[in-house]
Structures are given as C-alpha cells and as structure tokens.
Amino acid sequence: NLKVIPEETNVVSVIDIYSIIKKGNFSEISDLKMLKKFKKEIRNENKKVSRIMEDLMDDPRMTGINFKSDIFAFYINEARDEKFTGFSLEIKNEEKFAKFLEEILDGSEVDYDIEKEKNYSYTLIEDEAIIGWDENKAVFLVADGYYSRENLDIQVENLMELTDKEQITANENFNKFYKNKKDLSVWFSTNLFEDSYDFKDIEKEVDFDIADNYISAFLNFEDNSISLLTQYTPNTDIQEMIKENDIWDNSFNDDMLSYFPEKTFATASISLNTMA
C-alpha cells in the first residue's frame, strides 16, 4: 500500500498497527470507561454501525484488511484544487473488504455509488471523500477544501496507477526513514511550505536553499517507557555550511550529570557553536 503514495508527497505517517496490538492489553482497554461510553453513544445513535463494530472487535479478519501490515497516512498538496488527506491499507481479501465497506456505508446511511474501473473499484462518499481499492490495497482520500472535491475520482485514478518511479519509494530519504520505523513514525519534508509566503521570504533573507530538508520522528512503546527519537537531515547546501562553520559542537560535560536527580522525567541537552 506504499504504491499509492506519490513520490512528491511531503508528509507521511506510518502506523505499525500489528506491533501496537501485540504490545497492548486489549482486555484491559475494552474495560476503559471512555471506550464503554463511546460504544454506548454509537449504539444509541446507530445500532447497525454498533453491531458492525462489535463484530470487528471479535474478528478483524471480517474486514478483509491485513492488520499485520503498516497503515500509512499522508498529505497531498499539489495545487489549489488538489489538496487531500489520505490513508492507505493493505488488502488481504478484496471480496470481504468490499462487503465490509458496503455494510459500513449502508449502516451510516450516506449516499454512495460503487464504480468499477478496469483495474480497481471506487466509491464517492457524498462528494467529500473517496475510497479506491483493488485486490492488494485500498486508499481513502478526504478533500481538503471545496475545490478539491471535484477532483476526488481523478486523484484516486492517479494514485492507483502510479508507476514505480512516481511512488514515494523512489525517494531514498523516505526509504531510509521507513527501514527505521517504530510503532508510530512521521516523515516530513520542508518542501511542504514551498508555496507559502513565509518560505519564500526566508529564502530571500538567507543565502542558501532551504528546500529538501527532512525531519523524522519515531515513537516506540517499550516495557517501562515510551521513547521518542527525532532525526534531522539537512539538504546539501546546509550540510556544507554546517561542516564549514563547525556549527554543531557535540562535546558534553559529564560533570553536569551530577546535578541531575535520580528520578527525572525528562532530560535534554543541546550544544551549539554560537559564534558560528
């Protein structure tokens, strides 16, 4: 399901749902007051959807979705009328997925039609969202703004038919990020802001290119802690500038550790060559 994410996408989130399920104690989660209240609200609002959710909790395989595969969330920002928030899933059983989707939409009482193209199927949901799928993958798009609604079906067609060179896996920085992914991971490029006035103003003020910088964040749930790792990959111009000016001073005074109490919730340090 990475195959539906375009190479020029600047924000991608990865959810390792299988890892989270294995680590989580769902018997305890189901007893949470908040979840019980949520179930009650849905049951009062729509009994059909409530029944489907109960069946889903009992047997996730009924959805036809492969929950052992990562789920991706991404943002497409190509033009004024091409702004979409997307989610992609891996499909294990296309027939089950189509049946599950119809049951959800029927229970929700929304207007929809299922259209079949040569290599995929799709359904528009009240002209605000669209779901496209084939035997291997599904993509869910929500239009960001009124003008993007008119291009939902065109955008799904584009995503379902991306060539290898047009997919996000053509970006080597993304591939490095994905190899290191954890339970929840986010990959971000500064190119997202290229069209903004602030971005253009900053580039006028500085004498180097601020595009093609990448920031990654990795959240991992461990036995006795939650770890968050962030990584910054500057573009070639900034890398040269950092190297020439020795901006990062990676030395650390170990004597400082004697001032930290044993029970500390968070500790951070940063060292910079301020003159540079």
Side-chain angles (χ1 to χ4, degrees), residues 63-74:
T63 63
I65 298 169
N66 182 9
F67 286 106
K68 290 186 177 181
S69 177
D70 295 328
I71 295 174
F72 298 97
F74 55 97

Side-chain angles (χ1 to χ4, degrees), residues 3-243:
K3 293 182 177 181
V4 296
I5 304 178
E7 190 269 339
E8 63 270 16
T9 303
N10 294 313
V11 181
V12 181
S13 297
V14 184
I15 307 168
D16 189 340
I17 191 73
Y18 185 59
S19 175
I20 295 171
I21 289 172
K22 285 197 300 181
K23 291 178 179 181
N25 188 332
F26 279 80
S27 61
E28 291 183 4
I29 292 175
S30 61
D31 290 333
L32 290 175
K33 289 182 180 179
M34 182 180 69
L35 187 58
K36 286 183 176 180
K37 186 176 181 180
F38 176 66
K39 288 181 178 179
K40 185 178 179 181
E41 290 289 340
I42 291 181
R43 191 160 51 248
N44 293 337
E45 185 71 26
N46 192 313
K47 287 183 172 57
K48 287 184 180 179
V49 174
S50 176
R51 176 184 55 78
I52 295 170
M53 285 190 62
E54 293 291 342
D55 293 342
L56 171 60
M57 295 294 287
D58 291 337
D59 184 13
R61 292 174 298 179
M62 64 168 283
T63 63
I65 298 169
N66 182 9
F67 286 106
K68 290 186 177 181
S69 177
D70 295 328
I71 295 174
F72 298 97
F74 55 97
Y75 183 65
I76 295 174
N77 182 25
E78 295 180 0
R80 185 189 182 196
D81 56 354
E82 294 180 63
K83 297 178 186 289
F84 307 94
T85 299
F87 301 88
S88 67
L89 311 162
E90 184 176 321
I91 299 300
K92 196 170 185 177
N93 187 309
E94 183 183 3
E95 187 177 338
K96 284 186 177 181
F97 177 77
K99 181 181 178 182
F100 171 72
L101 183 61
E102 287 189 52
E103 287 181 353
I104 286 288
L105 294 174
D106 288 339
S108 302
E109 298 179 354
V110 297
D111 293 329
Y112 74 96
D113 288 308
I114 292 180
E115 305 287 344
K116 292 187 180 294
E117 298 293 337
K118 183 179 180 180
N119 298 317
Y120 68 96
S121 302
Y122 73 89
T123 178
L124 270 169
I125 305 170
E126 296 190 339
D127 294 328
E128 294 183 5
I130 193 170
I131 300 174
W133 71 93
D134 59 21
E135 61 182 6
N136 300 311
K137 58 191 177 294
V139 60
F140 174 57
L141 290 181
V142 179
D144 182 2
Y146 177 81
Y147 296 101
S148 298
R149 293 181 183 181
E150 297 179 0
N151 293 322
L152 279 164
D153 55 341
I154 296 173
Q155 188 64 50
V156 157
E157 181 181 2
N158 291 338
L159 299 187
M160 296 298 287
E161 297 181 355
L162 290 174
T163 65
D164 290 346
K165 292 182 180 180
E166 295 171 332
Q167 296 163 11
I168 191 67
T169 47
N171 187 313
E172 285 306 314
N173 188 274
F174 175 84
N175 292 334
K176 290 178 182 177
F177 153 81
Y178 189 49
K179 285 180 181 178
N180 296 316
K181 59 99 175 177
K182 301 297 182 184
D183 294 332
L184 296 170
S185 309
V186 179
W187 178 82
F188 175 84
S189 170
T190 53
N191 295 346
L192 179 67
F193 304 115
E194 275 189 305
D195 294 331
S196 72
Y197 293 110
D198 291 336
F199 191 95
K200 293 174 181 178
D201 286 342
I202 292 172
E203 284 202 315
K204 289 178 182 178
E205 296 296 329
V206 298
D207 57 353
F208 53 85
D209 187 4
I210 61 173
D212 296 322
N213 294 284
Y214 299 101
I215 300 169
S216 303
F218 307 91
L219 187 69
N220 200 47
F221 301 105
E222 299 171 357
D223 289 341
N224 298 305
S225 63
I226 300 173
S227 68
L228 175 64
L229 173 69
T230 59
Q231 188 173 29
Y232 168 56
T233 306
N235 64 33
T236 304
D237 287 352
I238 297 178
Q239 285 184 40
E240 288 296 322
M241 185 182 67
I242 290 172
K243 186 177 179 180

